[in-house]
Amino acid sequence: MTGGRPSREECFAAAGAALAAAIERRDALSPRQAAQAAWRPGGPSVDEIERRITARRLSEGWQ
């Protein structure tokens, strides 16, 4: 960015970098820790979220 308003491309690059960093932080958590962080009142239980995370990771080939 050279000053003033960022370009569209700079905005997309910054958003992509932020998303990649968030995914990296999330993926570093255990399924239980990720479920606890994702839980919201009125939503699925922590146990259900953990089950979904574990199933997704297994289907994606996580070890």
Side-chain angles (χ1 to χ4, degrees):
M1 185 170 16
T2 59
R5 277 178 67 165
S7 70
R8 180 180 173 101
E9 291 77 20
E10 289 170 325
C11 290
F12 282 129
L19 179 59
I23 291 169
E24 188 175 330
R25 284 190 306 272
R26 179 204 65 195
D27 289 351
L29 299 174
S30 71
R32 187 66 177 189
Q33 291 169 323
Q36 290 169 333
W39 180 84
R40 297 294 178 262
S45 68
V46 172
D47 290 335
E48 175 60 18
I49 297 169
E50 180 181 18
R51 186 195 64 72
R52 292 178 188 181
I53 291 168
T54 300
R56 188 194 72 235
R57 288 182 179 184
L58 288 174
S59 73
E60 292 175 354
W62 287 51
Q63 295 299 319

